[in-house]
Amino acid sequence: MTHSTAAHEFLRDPARAAWHDQTLWMVRAKRDRMATRVPEWEQLREAASRIKEHTLSRLADYLEQFADNAAENGIYVHWAADGEEHNRIVQGILQKHGARKLVKSKSMLTEECHLNPHLEKHGIEVIDTDLGERIVQLQKMPPSHIVMPAIHLKRAEVGEVFHEHLGTPAGLDDPQQLTEAARQHLRNHFLTADAALTGVNFAIAETGAFVVCTNEGNADMGAHLAPVHIACMGIEKIIPQQVHLGVFLRLLARSATGQPSTVFSSHFLKPRPGQEIHIVIVDNGRSRQLARPDYRKSLACIRCAACFNTCPVYRRSGGYSYSYFIAGPIGSILAPNVDKAAHSSMPFASTLCGSCTAVCPVKIDIHAQLLKWRQDITAAGHAPWWKKAAMFMTAYVVRRPALFRLGGWFMRKSARMLSFLRLDPWTQSRDLPQPPAQTFRQWYNQQSDEN
């Protein structure tokens, strides 16, 4: 299913679409306010970009340095070429310890590898402990946003989910009462879990330590109570030195939710007495992306989702309209690397306005990479025929001024009729905007005459 077709389902409820748009724009506005309070904000972005670029240029060296130092600290290090191997490694660790229940903090890598269904198929119960992640898990749905997994749900809907699965009173929509219900529900799982799994935000080559950032402390609860802690990371999470960490921690939370910092930034260096820590380092196509000069910088992403919150297409079409587990502008760059044909519509789910690039804390040229993917996908024959025909006609018209003026006149007269005809997937969900009464040339000439 293409992005525009999937978006049609979300847009069936215009009130929800408008609320989703406004909610994420509020987060974007908070990000802007917080960024302006840091005078050296642009210097931080530039520093982060350069650190990541340097790291990617020597990624193999830093990965080996990290693995050596982590092993020296007493951490078991595993390497996984793809998602299946990652799942087998995690399953093997759990089976070795006879673990039947796993508490998991939010990890998009495990979503990427489909770890939950794999473990559940082998009789291991997986409890997602991030509140938003737990809500969508109870609904048997994936996250719709990588930082705010249940941002598409309203409080009343969360209350219905809790009423059905946790036995809270019907109609409960008070945030404090809902949070307390979730806290009591998860506390029991933390106390009875056999193992804990966390993601990794940053892995430091110099020390072999890794850092996990959460706002709820759920990663700490799991990792500190369970006898086995498994941390899963993509190869791109490496930073060279401890001194670099401050740059990214200052950027991450401000870009993600407009907070000065995440509530918990937990540093794991070595296991406590009696505990085992395992770290699983996963490639799963990242080396292929690294080898593509046009797209390698996408591996610098620190998963803050600032590009989601500012993207007019994501805000108005929702996370489930994208065909990859990471939605939004950055997901639209990463997805074709995995399967160009299956995710061919994602790079077209953008206005190319450049807002995603403007807010990216590590200065990834997101909109330029989206444009490049469009060219590559079209050259590979994965673009629909009508899109190629439309682009051919557009190119033909704009090279001929008289035809361009005639086409502009026609569109001003017929745009509303085209909305009624529902000729393309977007106009099945939305009306075309009312065209201006004047052309730009007419408006310009009028302004010149008046001045």
Side-chain angles (χ1 to χ4, degrees):
M1 184 182 293
T2 64
H3 173 267
S4 53
T5 304
H8 182 63
E9 295 300 316
F10 186 76
L11 294 169
R12 284 180 186 276
D13 186 346
R16 179 185 297 276
W19 168 80
H20 189 265
D21 174 31
Q22 292 163 7
T23 302
L24 288 172
W25 187 251
M26 284 171 52
V27 180
R28 156 69 202 265
K30 280 180 66 181
R31 173 263 175 208
D32 290 350
R33 289 197 298 273
M34 197 56 66
T36 56
R37 294 178 186 176
V38 181
E40 67 275 23
W41 181 256
E42 288 306 317
Q43 289 91 328
L44 280 173
R45 290 181 70 215
E46 182 63 26
S49 177
R50 291 188 180 190
I51 293 168
K52 280 290 186 179
E53 183 66 27
H54 166 77
T55 309
L56 292 174
S57 70
R58 296 184 52 196
L59 188 58
D61 296 334
Y62 285 125
L63 281 169
E64 289 183 3
Q65 184 186 2
F66 170 77
D68 290 344
N69 287 330
E72 195 170 320
N73 295 337
I75 296 175
Y76 294 93
V77 180
H78 309 263
W79 300 87
D82 54 29
E84 290 184 8
E85 188 172 10
H86 163 268
N87 292 348
R88 285 198 302 273
I89 291 170
V90 174
Q91 178 194 347
I93 297 168
L94 295 174
Q95 288 180 336
K96 176 187 168 189
H97 291 273
R100 308 305 298 171
K101 179 189 282 189
L102 175 72
V103 286
K104 183 162 76 66
S105 73
K106 188 154 64 65
S107 160
M108 293 312 295
L109 178 63
T110 59
E111 293 288 336
E112 174 183 343
C113 299
H114 306 293
L115 178 67
N116 284 18
H118 175 85
L119 293 180
E120 288 163 1
K121 189 171 66 179
H122 290 84
I124 299 170
E125 184 183 11
V126 182
I127 306 295
D128 281 309
T129 58
D130 173 89
L131 178 56
E133 192 99 350
R134 183 60 177 158
I135 292 167
V136 294
Q137 186 186 32
L138 290 172
Q139 287 191 306
K140 301 187 186 308
M141 294 292 288
S144 70
H145 188 288
I146 60 174
V147 173
M148 298 170 280
I151 190 66
H152 60 289
L153 297 176
K154 298 181 179 179
R155 286 202 308 269
E157 293 169 314
V158 174
E160 291 175 15
V161 174
F162 280 14
H163 173 62
E164 180 182 353
H165 296 277
L166 307 186
T168 55
L172 184 67
D173 67 351
D174 179 76
Q176 286 192 336
Q177 291 179 308
L178 290 172
T179 305
E180 181 60 24
R183 184 179 290 121
Q184 296 300 328
H185 162 70
L186 289 171
R187 185 180 300 276
N188 178 57
H189 289 298
F190 283 125
L191 292 172
T192 56
D194 302 308
L197 187 147
T198 68
V200 172
N201 289 92
F202 304 101
I204 305 159
E206 179 185 39
T207 62
F210 59 92
V211 177
V212 182
C213 302
T214 69
N215 278 323
E216 300 166 17
N218 53 308
D220 304 79
M221 287 283 285
H224 292 158
L225 287 171
V228 181
H229 174 191
I230 305 170
C232 302
M233 59 172 270
I235 60 174
E236 79 282 11
K237 293 301 177 77
I238 288 284
I239 59 174
Q241 299 175 13
Q242 181 78 21
V243 71
H244 297 143
L245 185 61
V247 173
F248 294 100
L249 290 181
R250 295 186 73 191
L251 288 167
L252 178 63
R254 288 179 169 88
S255 300
T257 55
Q259 298 170 248
S261 66
T262 50
V263 179
F264 299 91
S265 295
S266 304
H267 300 240
F268 296 91
L269 179 65
K270 59 178 64 176
R272 68 174 185 273
Q275 186 194 38
E276 282 188 13
I277 295 182
H278 296 256
I279 188 155
V280 187
I281 304 173
V282 184
D283 185 320
N284 204 31
R286 288 163 175 77
S287 295
R288 183 170 59 243
Q289 189 85 327
L290 186 66
R292 290 171 162 154
D294 291 327
Y295 307 111
R296 70 193 301 270
K297 200 171 180 181
S298 62
L299 294 175
C301 176
I302 59 173
R303 303 290 192 267
C304 67
C307 59
F308 286 50
N309 304 337
T310 197
C311 176
V313 176
Y314 175 85
R315 296 200 319 267
R316 290 169 175 82
S317 61
Y320 293 145
S321 61
Y322 295 81
S323 56
Y324 193 52
F325 77 102
I326 297 180
I330 189 66
S332 299
I333 296 172
L334 299 173
N337 171 59
V338 177
D339 190 329
K340 195 184 297 185
H343 305 296
S344 61
S345 70
M346 283 183 63
F348 293 91
S350 168
T351 62
L352 298 183
C353 61
S355 185
C356 47
T357 300
V359 300
C360 178
V362 287
K363 289 192 166 185
I364 301 173
D365 52 341
I366 298 174
H367 73 293
Q369 293 190 36
L370 288 171
L371 179 59
K372 182 63 181 172
W373 265 126
R374 293 184 184 189
Q375 295 166 350
D376 287 351
I377 285 169
T378 302
H382 298 307
W385 67 267
W386 56 267
K387 193 181 291 291
K388 289 188 284 189
M391 290 298 103
F392 176 81
M393 286 299 299
T394 301
Y396 184 84
V397 169
V398 298
R399 286 197 295 262
R400 292 163 177 79
L403 199 54
F404 179 79
R405 288 194 289 273
L406 179 63
W409 174 84
F410 177 76
M411 288 300 295
R412 286 194 298 280
K413 299 296 182 186
S414 62
R416 290 189 62 79
M417 183 182 69
L418 292 175
S419 290
F420 291 125
L421 291 176
R422 305 291 193 248
L423 293 177
D424 74 287
W426 282 115
T427 55
Q428 291 171 13
S429 307
R430 307 170 63 209
D431 290 335
L432 288 172
Q434 182 66 32
Q438 292 178 303
T439 66
F440 173 77
R441 185 187 298 273
Q442 290 169 337
W443 174 85
Y444 183 81
N445 289 338
Q446 181 182 343
Q447 298 298 311
S448 300
D449 292 342
E450 290 177 357
N451 296 327

